Amino acid sequence: MAAQTGLSAVVSRSDVPVFPPVALSAEAAPFTPLGRDARQLSSSSDAEKQFSRCATKLRSMRGESGQLREELNLLFDQLLSENYNKTFDPSINIRPEDVCSLLRHTSCMVPLSQEHLVIKFCQLIHHLLNQLKVIMDEHTLDVMVKYTTSALRVCSTWTHSDVLLALSTVVYGNGPQSHQHLSSLLGEDGLLLMYSSPSQPNMELQRVALTCMANICLRIPGQPPLDDHYRSVSFSVFLKTLQSPKPPDTDELFYCMVIQAALKGLQCCLSGGKWKFGGGEELGSVLALLKRLMFQGAPGVSVEWPTVLYPATLPQYEGLPAPKSAEPQKSAEGPKDAAMPGKTTGNKKRKSRGKGKKTSGEESRGHDVEEDDKDDKGLATQKRGGREEGRGDAESLSRFSSLSLYPSWKKNSSDSEFSDPEGNAQTKLRLYHGRVRQGALHCLLAVVKSVEKRTLYGFWSSFIPDSPIGGPPSLTLLTIILKDPSPKVRACALQVLSAMLDGSRQFLAVAEDTASPRTSYTPFSFSLATAVRELHRALSLALLAETSSQTLTQVIKCLAYLVANAPYHRLRPGLLSPLWKQMRPYVRHRDANVRVSVLTLYGAIVTTQAPLPEVQLLLRQPESSSSSTGLFTPQDSTPIWRQRDGVSSPSHSSVTLTQRGSYTHSPRLPRTPGEEDSTSPWLLQLCVSLVTQPREDQSDSEGAGTGGVSLEPSPVRLEALQVMSHLVRGYFSLVQTCLCEIRQVSARCLRESDPSIQLHGTKLLEELGTGIIQQYRAENNVPESSRVPMSKVVLFWSEVLSGPLNVALQNEQHPTLQTSACETLSSILPQAFAQLPDKTQLMCITVLLGLTYSENYLVKTAAVRALGVYIVFPCLREDVMFVADTANTILAALDDRSPNVRAKAAWSLGNLTDTLIANMESVGVDFQEELSDMLLLKMLQAATRAADDKDRVKSNAVRALGNLLHFLRQSQLTRSAFQRPLEDAVRALIKTVQSEATMKVRWNACCALGNAFRNSSLPLDSAPWSHDAFSALCHVVTSCKNFKVRIKSAAALAVPAHRSCYGDTKRFSCVWLSLAKALENSEDTNDFLEYRYSASLRHTLSQALLHLLSVSQSQDMLVLGSSLAGDQGRGIREHLIKYVREEDGGGKGGGGGEEGEEAQGGKDTEGDNFTPQQRIRGLQQTLMRLKELKAEGEEEEGGKKELVHFLEDLLKTCEEP
């Protein structure tokens, strides 16, 4: 036969093993490439030469004859016999265009009537495209899809499996590019719909067809998604397949393979986008299906599963706890829970722990699928953003003897079941069931990522138990985590749970169990708190029972997600303490990934809601007691599992036997004589040890060292440095006694060659500087005795600035390090900077000024920001030369092409202009005269241009404009050079107030106009822009949806100190009526978040109205009198009474300034801290002045009488006790 002839020709080469002759028939198994050992016999050049020779011969062949068929058959065999996988032979270099050319040409030579050649050609398509990872051009894709679809219509059924396999390889990730063929494949009566139908009798064809559909739905990053219509059609097919019962007399293995293909397709449909497959009913059906498949083949699980999961009713506001709704599936889950096996006593479980090492062989199962290995790698390198925290439940550890710690499914396994997976049908079936469970969890993960968080919260109780400890267990993700025999399935369940917990802080914030539970009903907040505690309990048990290092890492990361989002300040204390102790043996685990995750968890514990009282106690506790005695309750004493490490817990012996001394005798930091009585936290000592000291166990080859001394691997050291930064940030008062020691660690890091270590060293210094600054801020009210002494702060920075930080500042090869070093310079305490030697101060300033010319935008951004920090230092802000140099540098940065640089430059310019105002008030005219007029003009023009930039630039540019307009003197305002820039600046502010920019920008623009109005030299009465400025503020105060913008506009309207500033009577009346209307509508809002500012708004409006009354003149009496005479006047009177008596609760009327670097408002509410007595005296003075006014005409006199009567009545009411 042709096949035999072809194989004979192949084996004529002496370096290739002999193949037995195989007859080609419909029943013949698909061709399998050589094994790895046999492949090593051939060289890469042979594979390339063979491909080139065969391709050349195929292109030269013409005609149709029996001779041609034999030659084609021979060439196909020769091409199929080679291994082109670059994983095994990276030297293979076959161009994709050559492969595409070969396939196109061959498709023209293989007629569909020659079915034996058709399946050989289809095998060749799969072989080449799969091994060479060829990305086909559109022409080749079109030719291949047409050829395979034609073969499905023409050829016999026995060939369809190979043809569908070839088609699935061709369309892999090419669904959108195959749009012209999708109607014939997935349209009505499409080929793939026919083969993938649940009624398809041939399950192999159904499986391959489902795989083909999954490959069409697969989305490659960077490519457009599949059309929604075809994606929905495919989704329906996958869902219908999974919901269909197993056909009778069907082999369970084949059925599992079909289910795997459908799950893979479902995952492809769900990945990379939002949920688009229906409403809550459809989502509930998918979740119910996936929950059933999560337990496919699980021992002891035989229950009636619900077809739909319904969401629980959630409360709308966290202040209104609601009873938890019963879920429809609970009735079905009741009996299934009773069917769970393995309810043995705690003693028996501890004896069975000896099987831990036997079950470690499970990790070797399932490795015959490449995808499984990839999934494990993906889990092992999961993103570190959720590493925040984790904790263990005290009650659960105290009940060790009565809990099922070791997975019951594992205990039922024996060595013989795992010795020969391929020879044991039962083991193979378990393997396939495990893959189904793994696929179901992958789909569930895709659902969690595609569905909106708020929608998913209603289904939490279906996957996370919310019943109190001691109740009947339910089948949830925690069941899989604790009991599934496959480490890969357990890891997938942990990944799903982590995704559900990630970003759930707002949802979990409702949880609370500090109060006594009600007996009549269970509040939703208490149920949620119970779920959090149950998560802690189960994950702590999983930590004890886990034997796989990769899955152990996932357990710790999942704990970190939980702790990152749980509201510990609303839960009873005692959750973090057991976990803190439970993690200590793992800090010396043999697996570096586990050590990193443990440090991540510790970092999360000291980050969450810091400073947390429970964590403060943990940090203060001496290291000896934390490893031998309880912290809060007797239940927290040394757990049994730790006392019996070497005896009854073989799975952990590798941790505890080699490192027992490591976690009971932690490394100590050297202390200065004055610090002998203070104890540094154990966690800080541990991190210093991990960063600086050689590894105790030198068997780990990952460590990096010098001179034969092996340090911890870089990821461990980096994580330890991050934990130190978290400690400094959240618990500075506990680590400040070790200030010098931490500085030494940073200095050592900066002297190393690894840029990442250097970077974390500078970050640590920055955190130390920020912690010191926070202590010295007046609003934090830290007693002087509790602060770091100023002499020590000065010494600290003197040593830092004379150390290796200077080298980092000049390291142009690593701009990120330079950036961090600049940020460190900006964290110097201003009072300490003033006491540094002059040469040190000059060095800091010179370096920063020089780095603003860096070509790297990150470095330039950090340097410009640091100058913005330095310009407000009291010791520098009055130095005219420094102010001028900084101003010129900032002006240059404002023209930078990077928006990040411009944003920080605008912020720094705002700070610089703040210092101008401060100097004007403290130094006086002398400073104004010393500053160059030309420099001020440049700053005004630059800020005006920046006010037309992006919002994050604009928000601080308008702040600078307000300060500059306030700072300008009369002599400058009258100069012709300033006339046009002055008008442009004011109009820029007006435009910003009226614009659709973000509210923060408009808020700052209103502040800026109010700041400008403080300059008495501005011609507010006669300037052409004055009318527009007042009109813009009047419009905003009455119509803006944001109450904080209204507050600032009202405050700005109350700034002008004289009646002439308000212009004529028409403008004055416009301002009055706008403020009165705004006060009348101060409670009208549809936004609950804005309503909280209504009191502050009324406070500011009342103050503004009284200010207008205090400056009003006789020509204004008519408008004021008519306004106060009617219903509007009665409403104003009520609000003014509350204001004078301080009954409105408005505080300072500004709604609070926004801190941070994005927006800093001016002081537009000065004089608003008056007592009621002072406000009454102000009213009395206003009344006396109005009585002395001489009104012209009867109308003005009538208005005056009405106004005087209004104020007398107001005073009488306010003076009443």
Side-chain angles (χ1 to χ4, degrees):
M1 294 179 66
Q4 296 174 2
T5 306
L7 289 173
S8 300
V10 173
V11 300
S12 62
R13 302 206 313 258
S14 59
D15 57 342
V16 178
V18 177
F19 286 87
V22 177
L24 186 62
S25 67
E27 290 76 24
F31 177 82
T32 303
L34 295 175
R36 183 173 182 178
D37 295 336
R39 284 196 295 264
Q40 293 175 351
L41 299 175
S42 61
S43 64
S44 60
S45 58
D46 289 335
E48 289 186 46
K49 289 177 182 177
Q50 180 79 330
F51 177 85
S52 179
R53 186 183 64 79
C54 294
T56 303
K57 192 167 184 179
L58 278 170
R59 283 192 291 268
S60 65
M61 295 174 65
R62 297 289 185 274
E64 294 185 8
S65 63
Q67 178 77 24
L68 178 63
R69 289 196 298 273
E70 291 183 3
E71 291 181 359
L72 280 174
N73 196 34
L74 171 62
L75 291 173
F76 287 164
D77 286 339
Q78 291 173 349
L79 287 169
L80 286 168
S81 66
E82 296 292 346
N83 176 39
Y84 305 104
N85 197 328
K86 292 187 177 182
T87 304
F88 298 99
D89 197 346
S91 62
I92 293 179
N93 185 22
I94 299 176
R95 299 188 305 170
E97 52 266 33
D98 292 338
V99 177
C100 292
S101 175
L102 172 68
L103 295 179
R104 289 197 307 270
H105 182 74
T106 308
S107 65
C108 300
M109 302 180 63
V110 180
L112 299 179
S113 58
Q114 298 293 328
E115 295 184 346
H116 293 82
L117 288 179
V118 169
I119 64 169
K120 277 285 188 75
F121 179 49
C122 289
Q123 290 174 4
L124 181 63
I125 293 173
H126 173 70
H127 186 63
L128 292 176
L129 296 181
N130 188 46
Q131 289 200 353
L132 291 173
K133 312 298 181 189
V134 173
I135 300 176
M136 291 182 294
D137 55 81
E138 291 188 7
H139 179 48
T140 305
L141 176 64
D142 182 62
V143 171
M144 291 298 100
V145 174
K146 284 182 178 178
Y147 184 87
T148 50
T149 53
S150 299
L152 289 173
R153 294 189 178 95
V154 175
C155 296
S156 303
T157 306
W158 70 274
T159 65
H160 289 185
S161 178
D162 287 292
V163 177
L164 284 170
L165 181 63
L167 177 61
S168 68
T169 310
V170 169
V171 299
Y172 181 85
N174 288 320
Q177 287 75 21
S178 309
H179 56 87
Q180 66 270 31
H181 303 288
L182 292 179
S183 58
S184 61
L185 295 174
L186 298 175
E188 190 175 354
D189 299 327
L191 288 171
L192 293 181
L193 295 185
M194 177 182 66
Y195 286 110
S196 62
S197 172
S199 60
Q200 169 64 242
N202 190 327
M203 299 199 72
E204 174 61 18
L205 289 180
Q206 183 187 8
R207 182 190 69 82
V208 183
L210 289 169
T211 301
C212 189
M213 292 177 65
N215 289 348
I216 290 176
C217 296
L218 178 68
R219 183 177 182 181
I220 304 297
Q223 292 188 3
L226 184 67
D227 183 80
D228 287 344
H229 169 69
Y230 293 114
R231 195 156 66 125
S232 297
V233 169
S234 303
F235 179 84
S236 300
V237 173
F238 297 136
L239 190 60
K240 187 177 179 181
T241 303
L242 294 171
Q243 290 174 336
S244 301
K246 187 181 79 169
D249 303 326
T250 301
D251 184 76
E252 184 71 18
L253 288 178
F254 277 109
Y255 179 67
C256 286
M257 294 170 68
V258 172
I259 295 300
Q260 287 180 56
L263 285 171
K264 186 65 179 176
L266 197 66
Q267 181 187 354
C268 292
C269 288
L270 294 168
S271 299
K274 297 296 183 182
W275 174 269
K276 297 181 180 180
F277 304 106
E281 188 81 12
E282 289 77 5
L283 176 60
S285 299
V286 173
L287 291 175
L289 171 68
L290 295 178
K291 185 171 182 180
R292 172 173 64 83
L293 294 175
M294 280 163 43
F295 294 93
Q296 177 83 9
V301 178
S302 178
V303 297
E304 290 294 330
W305 295 94
T307 57
V308 181
L309 296 181
Y310 294 97
T313 303
L314 301 180
Q316 296 298 315
Y317 301 102
E318 71 174 55
L320 299 174
K324 180 172 60 67
S325 301
E327 299 188 25
Q329 70 272 21
K330 286 299 177 71
S331 60
E333 290 180 357
K336 78 186 175 189
D337 299 333
M340 292 297 294
K343 297 294 181 180
T344 58
T345 63
N347 291 334
K348 290 183 180 180
K349 290 183 180 298
R350 285 198 295 273
K351 291 179 181 178
S352 67
R353 292 292 296 275
K355 293 184 180 180
K357 290 189 177 179
K358 294 182 181 179
T359 57
S360 65
E362 296 163 331
E363 297 182 41
S364 63
R365 295 182 296 153
H367 288 279
D368 54 337
V369 179
E370 246 180 61
E371 182 185 340
D372 290 349
D373 294 332
K374 292 178 182 177
D375 290 339
D376 269 0
K377 291 178 183 176
L379 289 169
T381 58
Q382 183 183 1
K383 66 177 183 180
R384 297 166 61 188
R387 52 167 112 168
E388 324 226 346
E389 295 133 39
R391 47 188 185 158
D393 198 335
E395 293 97 333
S396 66
L397 292 181
S398 67
R399 300 179 184 179
F400 180 93
S401 59
S402 61
L403 291 174
S404 174
L405 295 188
Y406 202 71
S408 59
W409 299 350
K410 293 184 181 182
K411 296 190 296 178
N412 295 333
S413 304
S414 63
D415 286 343
S416 61
E417 293 176 330
F418 305 102
S419 58
D420 188 9
E422 302 207 354
N424 191 315
Q426 191 64 25
T427 300
K428 192 171 185 179
L429 180 59
R430 283 201 297 270
L431 172 64
Y432 275 68
H433 280 154
R435 291 176 182 172
V436 170
R437 297 195 298 274
Q438 189 175 352
L441 288 167
H442 281 150
C443 284
L444 182 58
L445 178 62
V447 171
V448 170
K449 291 182 176 180
S450 63
V451 176
E452 187 181 357
K453 289 282 186 184
R454 187 185 302 273
T455 304
L456 198 64
Y457 291 148
F459 296 96
W460 263 45
S461 56
S462 298
F463 298 94
I464 298 174
D466 57 357
S467 57
I469 298 173
S474 57
L475 294 179
T476 61
L477 286 170
L478 299 182
T479 312
I480 300 174
I481 292 169
L482 287 172
K483 294 182 175 294
D484 198 286
S486 169
K488 294 183 180 180
V489 176
R490 299 196 299 272
C492 285
L494 286 162
Q495 193 176 19
V496 174
L497 182 56
S498 298
M500 294 179 69
L501 292 170
D502 187 21
S504 63
R505 183 175 302 170
Q506 186 175 2
F507 175 62
L508 292 179
V510 183
E512 183 175 17
D513 65 356
T514 53
S516 301
R518 295 179 174 87
T519 56
S520 57
Y521 72 96
T522 302
F524 176 74
S525 58
F526 187 81
S527 297
L528 205 54
T530 304
V532 172
R533 290 188 173 276
E534 181 65 9
L535 282 169
H536 275 283
R537 184 190 73 89
L539 291 175
S540 295
L541 298 183
L543 198 66
L544 299 177
E546 191 53 63
T547 57
S548 166
S549 294
Q550 290 182 342
T551 313
L552 178 63
T553 303
Q554 290 302 313
V555 174
I556 300 172
K557 287 183 177 180
C558 192
L559 279 166
Y561 277 108
L562 174 61
V563 178
N565 294 279
Y568 292 99
H569 60 289
R570 295 169 61 94
L571 302 174
R572 284 182 284 111
L575 283 174
L576 291 175
S577 306
L579 184 60
W580 180 279
K581 297 184 296 181
Q582 189 179 6
M583 297 308 301
R584 293 190 70 165
Y586 296 97
V587 298
R588 303 292 183 181
H589 194 277
R590 64 183 181 277
D591 191 315
N593 290 325
V594 174
R595 300 201 295 276
V596 170
S597 62
V598 170
L599 288 170
T600 294
L601 183 53
Y602 275 128
I605 291 175
V606 299
T607 301
T608 182
Q609 299 140 34
L612 205 61
E614 184 177 358
V615 178
Q616 285 182 320
L617 290 176
L618 288 170
L619 290 170
R620 285 195 178 104
Q621 184 159 14
E623 55 183 292
S624 57
S625 62
S626 64
S627 61
S628 61
T629 60
L631 293 176
F632 294 94
T633 62
Q635 290 91 331
D636 291 332
S637 59
T638 307
I640 297 174
W641 68 271
R642 187 178 296 172
Q643 294 174 358
R644 302 171 62 90
D645 272 332
V647 180
S648 60
S649 182
S651 63
H652 293 326
S653 60
S654 59
V655 180
T656 56
L657 291 179
T658 58
Q659 303 300 341
R660 182 175 297 275
S662 300
Y663 71 83
T664 56
H665 301 287
S666 304
R668 293 186 177 273
L669 288 168
R671 302 192 184 102
T672 58
E675 297 171 350
E676 288 296 335
D677 296 334
S678 60
T679 303
S680 59
W682 165 81
L683 186 57
L684 179 62
Q685 299 177 25
L686 170 69
C687 292
V688 172
S689 170
L690 293 174
V691 173
T692 61
Q693 296 182 11
R695 285 211 59 204
E696 296 179 12
D697 180 9
Q698 298 293 333
S699 61
D700 193 328
S701 59
E702 299 175 79
T706 57
V709 177
S710 177
L711 297 174
E712 286 283 349
S714 182
V716 177
R717 302 179 69 209
L718 292 175
E719 201 64 41
L721 286 168
Q722 287 207 21
V723 174
M724 292 177 68
S725 295
H726 295 324
L727 268 173
V728 171
R729 185 186 307 122
Y731 299 89
F732 184 79
S733 60
L734 299 182
V735 301
Q736 68 183 54
T737 55
C738 306
L739 189 66
C740 294
E741 289 77 9
I742 299 176
R743 179 194 59 77
Q744 292 171 5
V745 173
S746 299
R748 170 172 177 155
C749 292
L750 283 168
R751 291 190 182 96
E752 295 194 18
S753 58
D754 185 351
S756 298
I757 299 292
Q758 293 177 318
L759 178 62
H760 281 71
T762 58
K763 293 287 186 185
L764 185 55
L765 285 175
E766 182 188 357
E767 291 294 347
L768 288 170
T770 304
I772 295 172
I773 291 175
Q774 293 294 333
Q775 276 195 340
Y776 275 83
R777 281 187 174 169
E779 59 267 25
N780 291 334
N781 297 320
V782 178
E784 187 173 355
S785 59
S786 300
R787 299 175 183 173
V788 179
M790 182 59 67
S791 59
K792 192 172 182 179
V793 177
V794 174
L795 176 63
F796 171 82
W797 282 113
S798 297
E799 294 178 346
V800 167
L801 296 173
S802 61
L805 184 65
N806 294 334
V807 179
L809 286 166
Q810 301 172 28
N811 192 339
E812 297 181 358
Q813 288 74 27
H814 300 287
T816 307
L817 180 60
Q818 275 187 298
T819 301
S820 182
C822 285
E823 292 169 350
T824 301
L825 283 186
S826 65
S827 65
I828 301 177
L829 182 69
Q831 299 93 311
F833 186 89
Q835 297 185 28
L836 291 174
D838 291 343
K839 63 177 183 180
T840 304
Q841 296 184 23
L842 183 61
M843 183 272 294
C844 294
I845 296 171
T846 305
V847 168
L848 290 176
L849 288 172
L851 289 178
T852 57
Y853 296 97
S854 171
E855 296 180 359
N856 185 279
Y857 81 95
L858 292 174
V859 178
K860 184 181 294 187
T861 301
V864 169
R865 179 193 174 277
L867 287 174
V869 173
Y870 278 27
I871 197 64
V872 298
F873 283 8
C875 62
L876 293 177
R877 71 184 186 191
E878 296 180 7
D879 186 339
V880 177
M881 294 302 297
F882 174 71
V883 171
D885 290 342
T886 302
N888 286 314
T889 301
I890 293 173
L891 292 178
L894 276 174
D895 292 328
D896 196 87
R897 61 183 179 181
S898 169
N900 294 325
V901 174
R902 297 199 303 274
K904 290 303 179 186
W907 177 79
S908 296
L909 182 61
N911 283 7
L912 188 148
T913 55
D914 284 343
T915 65
L916 298 183
I917 302 301
N919 289 337
M920 181 179 68
E921 296 173 353
S922 61
V923 180
V925 182
D926 292 343
F927 182 85
Q928 289 180 284
E929 293 177 347
E930 288 184 35
L931 203 61
S932 165
D933 288 357
M934 188 57 64
L935 180 60
L936 282 174
L937 182 61
K938 288 181 179 179
M939 292 166 64
L940 188 66
Q941 292 172 331
T944 304
R945 291 193 301 270
D948 199 31
D949 205 328
K950 297 179 182 293
D951 279 0
R952 55 180 177 158
V953 179
K954 187 183 300 184
S955 62
N956 285 293
V958 295
R959 176 165 70 99
L961 281 176
N963 285 328
L964 289 169
L965 292 173
H966 183 190
F967 183 79
L968 293 175
R969 290 174 290 126
Q970 177 69 33
S971 60
Q972 295 165 334
L973 293 174
T974 54
R975 289 181 55 184
S976 58
F978 278 84
Q979 295 300 313
R980 183 60 183 270
L982 171 64
E983 182 174 354
D984 291 343
V986 177
R987 294 203 177 277
L989 293 178
I990 297 171
K991 179 182 176 182
T992 306
V993 169
Q994 297 174 328
S995 69
E996 296 299 324
T998 59
M999 295 305 169
K1000 185 184 298 184
V1001 174
R1002 300 178 69 184
W1003 183 87
N1004 263 11
C1006 291
C1007 288
L1009 277 178
N1011 202 1
F1013 289 171
R1014 297 180 192 283
N1015 190 341
S1016 57
S1017 300
L1018 280 179
L1020 291 180
D1021 54 341
S1022 59
W1025 44 260
S1026 180
H1027 172 76
D1028 295 335
F1030 280 102
S1031 298
L1033 292 172
C1034 289
H1035 175 74
V1036 168
V1037 81
T1038 57
S1039 62
C1040 185
K1041 295 180 180 180
N1042 186 279
F1043 275 19
K1044 294 182 73 175
V1045 176
R1046 289 198 200 184
I1047 290 169
K1048 291 306 174 184
S1049 59
L1053 288 171
V1055 167
H1058 305 287
R1059 170 62 185 82
S1060 59
C1061 297
Y1062 288 97
D1064 56 16
T1065 304
K1066 182 179 180 181
R1067 187 188 302 173
F1068 183 87
S1069 64
C1070 177
V1071 174
W1072 171 269
L1073 293 175
S1074 297
L1075 291 171
K1077 181 181 178 182
L1079 185 60
E1080 183 181 357
N1081 301 327
S1082 59
E1083 295 183 1
D1084 297 344
T1085 179
N1086 296 323
D1087 190 345
F1088 177 77
L1089 296 178
E1090 293 298 329
Y1091 188 79
R1092 58 182 172 168
Y1093 296 112
S1094 59
S1096 295
L1097 176 60
R1098 290 192 296 271
H1099 183 99
T1100 308
L1101 289 169
S1102 300
Q1103 178 196 359
L1105 288 172
L1106 289 178
H1107 173 73
L1108 287 181
L1109 291 177
S1110 68
V1111 299
S1112 60
Q1113 297 296 331
S1114 58
Q1115 65 267 29
D1116 307 316
M1117 295 299 105
L1118 178 61
V1119 175
L1120 296 176
S1122 60
S1123 172
L1124 296 173
D1127 294 338
Q1128 190 180 53
R1130 285 189 289 273
I1132 293 175
R1133 177 179 176 276
E1134 293 178 2
H1135 289 300
L1136 291 181
I1137 291 173
K1138 292 180 180 179
Y1139 168 75
V1140 174
R1141 289 180 170 179
E1142 285 191 340
E1143 295 176 357
D1144 58 355
K1148 294 189 178 182
E1154 295 194 8
E1155 296 182 357
E1157 300 186 358
E1158 293 301 321
Q1160 293 183 2
K1163 299 177 182 179
D1164 49 30
T1165 55
E1166 289 181 0
D1168 195 33
N1169 294 324
F1170 293 144
T1171 63
Q1173 292 75 18
Q1174 291 174 320
R1175 292 173 183 172
I1176 289 175
R1177 282 198 296 271
L1179 274 176
Q1180 292 172 343
Q1181 293 173 1
T1182 300
L1183 179 61
M1184 292 175 59
R1185 188 185 67 81
L1186 290 175
K1187 288 181 177 180
E1188 295 174 358
L1189 283 179
K1190 294 182 179 180
E1192 299 178 2
E1194 294 181 1
E1195 292 182 347
E1196 289 185 4
E1197 185 64 32
K1200 174 184 173 182
K1201 290 181 180 179
E1202 186 66 38
L1203 179 56
V1204 169
H1205 174 71
F1206 175 87
L1207 290 177
E1208 288 175 343
D1209 182 61
L1210 178 64
L1211 272 172
K1212 181 180 178 181
T1213 305
C1214 293
E1215 290 173 345
E1216 290 178 356

